[in-house]
Amino acid sequence: DLVLSARLILGGAPERNMIALINTRPAERAVYDRLKNQKESLMRERLEKRRPAYCRSWHGRLNGRKDLPNVDYALLDNRTGTLVLAELKWFVAPDETRELADRGEEIQKGVSQCRKLMAAIAHNNSLLTQFGGVKNVCSLVVPANSIGMSYVQDEEIPVINEDHFLEELASAADLAEVAAWLRERRYLPKRGRDYISASPIVSFFAWELEWYGFAPLTEEEFLPLSGRSSNSTSSRQAADP
C-alpha cells in the first residue's frame, strides 16, 4: 500500500509548480511566454477596473515607433499634464534563490525598457503629441507579486508591486501627486522610521550563530501612500544600532 501525507496535497501548489517547471525548460519557454502575456493582459484589466476618475488610460506604441518597447499601460491626467508609463511584469512568485535571480532578470529587463522609452521622449518630445499637453512624465515597472532583490532596484525607474500601485492611485488627489511620490521614492521603507538593523542569534543543535536582519518599527502592514503619513501613528521609537 502507498500512504501519502495530507501535507503533500494540502500544502502543495501544483499549478504554480507546473508553471515554474515550464519556465525552466527551453523547449517549453514559448508556452510560458504566451501564459505570461495573457497574465499581463489580466493585470491591465485589473488596473483598468480600479483606474481613478481623474485620469484616462492607454497602451500601445508611441507614435508607431516600432524600435521602442510597447507601453503596457499608460495613465494621463489632463488637469495636471502628467503622464505615467508602466511596464507590467507577471511571473510566478519566487520561492528559492534560483527563482529570485530569474525574476530579477525579468525586472531588470522592464527597467531597461522604461529607460529606453524615457530616453527617446527626452530626445524627441513630439512622441507625446498623441496625448496632448503633457508637462510631466515618469515611468515605472509594476510586477504582479514581487519587486525583486535590492540589486534590481533602480535610482531612476521605480519598481513597485501592483497592489501597492493601485492603493496609491486611490489615495492620491491626482496623477502629479503619484509621480512626485514615485520620484521621491516615498514608497520604500526608511531606516530608523520603519525598521532598524538587527542581529538575531540563530541556534542549530549546540551551535549558535549571530545572523543579520531587521526589525520593523510599525505594528501595521507597511504600505506608505502619498495621501497619508507613512505609518507614523503606529511607529515605535528606537535607535538603529
Side-chain angles (χ1 to χ4, degrees):
D1 294 336
L2 177 64
V3 178
L4 295 177
S5 168
R7 182 175 178 80
L8 180 64
I9 307 300
L10 299 177
E15 181 183 11
R16 180 226 178 271
N17 294 338
M18 177 60 73
I19 295 172
L21 177 61
I22 289 173
N23 186 33
T24 63
R25 294 172 57 84
E28 305 292 342
R29 184 73 191 194
V31 176
Y32 176 80
D33 288 341
R34 287 198 300 271
L35 176 63
K36 184 172 65 174
N37 291 337
Q38 292 171 4
K39 290 287 190 178
E40 287 173 1
S41 295
L42 291 174
M43 281 182 68
R44 186 162 48 242
E45 290 178 13
R46 289 197 298 268
L47 290 166
E48 188 61 19
K49 285 179 181 177
R50 296 180 59 182
R51 174 174 53 85
Y54 60 70
C55 59
R56 59 187 176 92
S57 65
W58 175 86
H59 68 276
R61 291 193 181 275
L62 293 178
N63 275 346
R65 285 280 301 271
K66 294 183 178 180
D67 59 315
L68 293 176
N70 265 338
V71 176
D72 289 340
Y73 191 68
L75 291 172
L76 175 66
D77 183 350
N78 289 114
R79 296 178 304 167
T80 62
T82 303
L83 177 66
V84 172
L85 306 175
E87 174 69 23
L88 306 183
K89 287 294 175 186
W90 181 90
F91 41 69
V92 177
D95 229 12
E96 57 186 57
T97 304
R98 175 185 56 79
E99 291 183 354
L100 280 169
D102 290 343
R103 306 306 179 262
E105 289 180 5
E106 294 192 46
I107 292 173
Q108 286 177 316
K109 180 181 177 182
V111 168
S112 175
Q113 290 172 316
C114 288
R115 283 180 168 273
K116 287 180 181 177
L117 286 171
M118 294 299 286
I121 291 169
H123 183 260
N124 181 10
N125 197 48
S126 66
L127 288 172
L128 303 180
T129 53
Q130 66 195 91
F131 300 104
V134 175
K135 305 173 186 175
N136 179 15
V137 186
C138 76
S139 183
L140 75 157
V141 178
V142 183
N145 46 37
S146 173
I147 64 171
M149 301 293 285
S150 60
Y151 69 86
V152 304
Q153 308 307 308
D154 190 84
E155 289 294 331
E156 296 181 15
I157 306 297
V159 180
I160 180 172
N161 263 356
E162 176 189 358
D163 56 351
H164 197 172
F165 183 52
L166 283 169
E167 291 294 335
E168 169 58 18
L169 290 174
S171 171
D174 53 46
L175 210 55
E177 191 173 311
V178 175
W181 178 78
L182 290 168
R183 285 199 184 97
E184 295 165 13
R185 303 174 73 80
R186 284 186 272 140
Y187 55 91
L188 293 173
K190 287 189 177 181
R191 182 182 302 204
R193 183 194 67 187
D194 302 304
Y195 72 95
I196 58 171
S197 300
S199 301
I201 301 298
V202 179
S203 299
F204 183 73
F205 293 100
W207 294 280
E208 288 189 343
L209 174 67
E210 184 177 338
W211 202 239
Y212 60 89
F214 65 91
L217 296 178
T218 56
E219 296 174 352
E220 62 184 35
E221 179 187 13
F222 177 78
L223 194 69
L225 303 170
S226 62
R228 72 181 190 213
S229 59
S230 178
N231 295 351
S232 58
T233 57
S234 61
S235 293
R236 299 189 294 270
Q237 296 301 316
D240 193 13

